[in-house]
Amino acid sequence: RMTLEPGRYQIRIGARESVGSRVGTVFYDLQVPDFRKDPLMLSGLLITATSAQAAMTAMPDPEPPKLLPGPAISRRTFARNDTLTVFAEIYDNGSSKQSRQIDAVFTLLSERGQEVFRAAETVDNPTASHWTAFGLTRAIPLNNVAPGRYLIKVEATARGTPPVGRETLITVQ
């Protein structure tokens, strides 16, 4: 886990195998957004699955267990008997002193655009403070989902602000 100020970064990771002496490097360009910039913003998506419990995590991040029922994973291929859990954080930067509601929608769309899962909820921001963050967690069962590629989409909308969204592709086998 790294705490970084908003901006552009490059992460460089190098590894050497102790037995075979093989080496490898990875370079990754990273843009850390300023979540206080726009009236309504949405974090990236954290995903876990019931199958993630079976894999060992060498150095698990201490934060996601508080947000997800298992370790966050980068894998995006899942079996039909899996259940995904998706986490996103909404940042409400409204300048109004009135309380407001934020509507959030989780959808799973097939390659043809067919909606195979939808869950909606409303988050109340009664404090109307200038910067408030709300965590959203939703389970998405895959047992009734046919094999194929899908788009997980999370959108948030508040009155008077443009909608915000995040999405990621997954494959169901």
Side-chain angles (χ1 to χ4, degrees), residues 50-129:
T50 51
S51 61
Q53 305 291 340
M56 184 186 91
T57 304
M59 292 180 61
D61 187 342
E63 287 301 311
K66 300 172 190 170
L67 313 171
L68 295 168
I73 56 176
S74 59
R75 176 172 50 94
R76 294 295 182 256
T77 301
F78 305 96
R80 290 185 66 209
N81 63 347
D82 235 337
T83 297
L84 305 183
T85 303
V86 179
F87 173 83
E89 203 162 42
I90 296 173
Y91 302 95
D92 185 5
N93 302 311
S95 58
S96 170
K97 298 296 179 204
Q98 297 179 1
S99 63
R100 68 178 181 169
Q101 294 182 325
I102 301 167
D103 296 316
V105 178
F106 290 77
T107 54
L108 184 62
L109 302 167
S110 71
E111 282 188 290
R112 288 186 235 127
Q114 178 187 6
E115 194 174 274
V116 297
F117 175 87
R118 180 182 182 84
E121 65 183 271
T122 299
V123 177
D124 290 315
N125 185 357
T127 63
S129 64

